[in-house]
Amino acid sequence: MNDRPSRPTLAVIAAAAGVSPATVSKVLNGRTDVAPGTRERVEGLLRSHNYLAPGGARRARRSGLVDLVLAGLDSPWAVEILRGVEAECALHGTGVVVSQVNEDDARPPSWQNLPVLHHSDGVILVTSTMTAEQRAQLERAGVALVLIDPVNLPDGDIASIGATNWAGGTAATDHLLALGHRRIGMIGGPAGMLCTQARVDGYRSALERAGIEVDRELIRYGDFRHEGGFARTRELLALPEPPTALFAGSDQQAMGAYEAARQAGLRVPEDLSVVGFDDLPMCEWLSPPLTTVRQPLEEMGRVAARTLLQLLDGQPLLSPRIELATDLRVRHSTAPPRTVQPPTSPPASPGGPHDGRRRAVA
């Protein structure tokens, strides 16, 4: 059964009114730079489709607040996103209200009610599921929306920000292949997340291009946290033919892999090479410093805030989907497997313990 809202999109209303979607957005946000006749025509259509209250237009922008809703506040990943959102909003004199939604809770998440309660201008929703009902509720309240790394595939006209996850997964796996590894384990995040699927697909693609059959036993799914990385690494190391290298779908899972290897009496990278994903600030302080795929988390937060403010100003977006480039940071958690002669030009530079060579991933 299709539970999407029955109201037409703003683009349909714009076509019916003979104006651009940006003009419809300006009317919704109470902007004054719209001709009276055009405003009256657009407001009539908006009112007939329940975008506006019978008495008139939606409240005018701005309250000077936006909501940042995260699936969890206890990870360094979330802190980097928050840092970027706050920095960009501060440039525009906008405050940020931070909330957490626990989607594992039996009660339905009620974050979509928060903007109405404190008269927020818009919402940035991070790594959460977006339902048609939630979107319709925000639209009825006149609240703009931007997604960061959404769990499910959003409607085409919802603004979303992410990173080049497929390219990052390919780069991580290519790096391990270049070192001579052939048994490469993959520990993704939650299986249902779009970013997890893209990273695993990148891993698969790199193996297939190298002529290596993908072994499903080597692919496990965790939770992006230390515990998931620890548990899944123990499973992989218990296989009759364990991997010589691991690509973890997050840095926190890579840290869990470090501990699992230690408890198994293995050394990183001598016995097990490990690559992470995120490039959290503590990666270069691990022992050994972690080779990882950097995604620009703080910049993702900045771009999401900038996009939301553009929507609130009635500015048209060049594209509803923005993906920022990832790049591979080679440090000292990866090395050739013991059974392979090291290449004459090693991929990791022989500098100090915290050096890292960058490789751009478009």
Side-chain angles (χ1 to χ4, degrees):
M1 181 176 178
N2 190 348
D3 61 349
R4 293 182 62 181
S6 58
R7 292 187 305 167
T9 65
L10 296 185
V12 172
I13 290 176
V19 299
S20 69
T23 299
V24 176
S25 180
K26 288 179 180 180
V27 173
L28 268 174
N29 286 287
R31 290 276 296 270
T32 59
D33 53 340
V34 179
T38 300
R39 177 182 298 280
E40 183 177 354
R41 185 167 69 254
V42 172
E43 283 184 351
L45 286 167
L46 291 171
R47 194 174 295 109
S48 67
H49 292 292
N50 299 318
Y51 278 95
L52 299 179
R58 182 180 78 172
R59 62 179 173 80
R61 206 208 162 205
R62 307 199 180 202
S63 68
L65 290 176
V66 298
D67 273 277
L68 174 63
V69 182
L70 301 113
L73 293 171
D74 57 347
S75 74
W77 189 95
V79 172
E80 293 301 305
I81 293 287
L82 172 58
R83 193 193 313 276
V85 171
E86 286 196 320
E88 186 66 26
C89 286
L91 294 176
H92 300 272
T94 300
V96 180
V97 180
V98 181
S99 306
Q100 174 176 307
V101 57
N102 183 2
E103 296 190 336
D104 294 329
D105 199 314
R107 297 167 297 176
S110 58
W111 59 263
Q112 65 270 20
N113 296 321
L114 297 175
V116 178
L117 293 177
H118 48 244
H119 306 294
S120 174
D121 291 315
V123 174
I124 298 173
L125 180 63
V126 186
T127 59
S128 295
T129 302
M130 184 72 202
T131 68
E133 181 182 354
Q134 289 168 335
R135 183 186 181 187
Q137 186 171 344
L138 292 176
E139 287 184 339
R140 286 193 295 270
V143 176
L145 173 68
V146 173
L147 308 177
I148 296 179
D149 262 350
V151 171
N152 58 328
L153 190 65
D155 291 344
D157 60 342
I158 298 181
S160 64
I161 313 299
T164 53
N165 290 295
W166 183 90
T170 302
T173 311
D174 281 342
H175 170 67
L176 294 171
L177 289 168
L179 289 171
H181 293 279
R182 295 299 178 264
R183 293 281 293 172
I184 302 173
M186 170 74 210
I187 304 177
M193 293 189 68
L194 291 175
C195 61
T196 293
Q197 295 169 15
R199 293 169 198 177
V200 173
D201 286 347
Y203 158 87
R204 289 175 178 272
S205 178
L207 291 178
E208 290 169 354
R209 285 205 317 258
I212 298 174
E213 183 178 354
V214 177
D215 186 346
R216 296 177 63 181
E217 277 292 308
L218 292 177
I219 302 176
R220 306 295 166 113
Y221 293 93
D223 54 9
F224 284 143
R225 299 176 180 274
H226 301 82
E227 294 83 359
F230 176 79
R232 301 293 87 78
T233 300
R234 292 190 66 176
E235 293 172 3
L236 289 168
L237 293 178
L239 292 173
E241 188 181 354
T244 61
L246 290 178
F247 168 35
S250 73
D251 289 342
Q252 288 180 275
Q253 288 190 146
M255 295 174 202
Y258 271 37
E259 178 58 17
R262 187 192 69 80
Q263 291 190 18
L266 302 178
R267 295 174 299 169
V268 175
E270 292 85 354
D271 304 306
L272 182 70
S273 288
V274 179
V275 179
F277 200 107
D278 287 331
D279 196 29
L280 298 175
M282 72 279 293
C283 286
E284 60 181 333
W285 299 102
L286 296 177
S287 181
L290 179 65
T291 294
T292 186
V293 177
R294 179 184 182 273
Q295 60 172 337
L297 298 173
E298 183 174 343
E299 183 62 17
M300 287 164 62
R302 281 184 174 271
V303 172
R306 194 176 306 143
T307 300
L308 183 63
L309 295 174
Q310 288 174 346
L311 288 173
L312 292 171
D313 280 335
Q315 301 178 28
L317 302 179
L318 295 178
S319 171
R321 174 65 178 174
I322 298 175
E323 289 191 350
L324 303 183
T326 53
D327 63 83
L328 182 67
R329 300 294 178 91
V330 179
R331 297 191 178 101
H332 295 276
S333 64
T334 52
R338 287 184 175 276
T339 57
V340 175
Q341 185 69 27
T344 55
S345 299
S349 58
H354 302 305
D355 70 315
R357 185 165 60 87
R358 300 176 58 178
R359 183 189 304 170
V361 181

